[in-house]
Amino acid sequence: MNEDEPVLELPDFDPKVTRKAVRRGVVRTASLVLAVLVAVALVATLGSAAVQKRGDREERMRDVLGTAFKIYNPAYSIVVEDCCETTPWSMSLTVGARQRRAAGGFEGGDGGFSTITQDFFGRVGRLPLGNYANTRLSTSLANFGTTLDQKDQVRKVLARLPDGLNALAVVEFDNPLTLGELGAFPATCAARLVYERRPGATPITWDTTTWDRLLPGEKMGLPCDKESAQDLEHFRRWVGMLRDHDEANLRRFDLSLARLRKASADGLVYGYVDDVARVKDLRKLIENPRVRTVHLADVTFDLDDPR
């Protein structure tokens, strides 16, 4: 070393300055790591949402899962509220439910809001309501084709009830009817048609609110027979949009492609739900030779009826 070169003098050690420098380094490192993690989370969330919503997946989730949920819960009026919320690992839709009751009485029990979720790979998780709801209407539908609610038993029940009492009833035919035969049947407009007999389990049912889409040129306020024909057309169009890969999810709703395709192709009506029936009318209806029996699900007084 040359003696003429200046000697570099080290500053005196200052603990406070050192601590501040260390803290600044830690803060910078933590901020950088946090920024990277936030960026990764955003990319993962937005990327996952883009993947899950690609093409028509949102629309199909509403069409397939929302409609299947309504068939899974014939005892409830179901409204699809929101679709579709995503997380990095799932996509979901929200539904509101209100229990069906006899018209003119108390409002149906509120089933609240529920969420139907499918994972990143499109598989549906555990579902609310359905087989767990255990309502009188779902029980009445499951009694189709069984030895329960035989005519003699139902006659005795109806005989004890006032004429003007409103009822929620499920009318079961002895043999299924075509739409033409249903149009000639002496009854009011059906609230919901039953397209299969499945003793001990929930059959396939359908009404005007089951699928939210309108058909080209569709009209409101149709006579009963035209409305039933339109409902069947809705049902067939919905079944027609289902694909083989929907089978796994449909089974979560206690459905299958084979049953749905057969019911829509046959177009036979095994019975119907009536929520504006009167006891005096049910007494006459149960004597119709085409009626196997009537399943009473709910009754309530109409306080406005002067009788």
Side-chain angles (χ1 to χ4, degrees), residues 27-42:
V27 170
R28 288 196 192 99
T29 302
S31 299
L32 180 60
V33 171
L34 181 60
V36 171
L37 291 176
V38 169
V40 170
L42 285 173

Side-chain angles (χ1 to χ4, degrees), residues 193-212:
L193 297 181
V194 184
Y195 286 110
E196 67 174 351
R197 183 178 283 121
R198 196 176 174 223
T202 304
I204 294 169
T205 60
W206 194 272
D207 70 10
T208 55
T209 66
T210 306
W211 194 28
D212 297 333

Side-chain angles (χ1 to χ4, degrees), residues 62 66 69-70 77-85 92-98 110 112-116 212:
R62 186 184 185 97
F69 189 71
K70 293 178 182 180
S77 296
I78 306 290
V79 176
V80 178
E81 300 287 346
D82 296 302
C83 183
C84 301
E85 294 185 8
S92 62
L93 60 83
T94 302
V95 295
R98 182 171 291 277
D110 192 353
F113 294 95
S114 302
T115 301
I116 302 173
D212 297 333

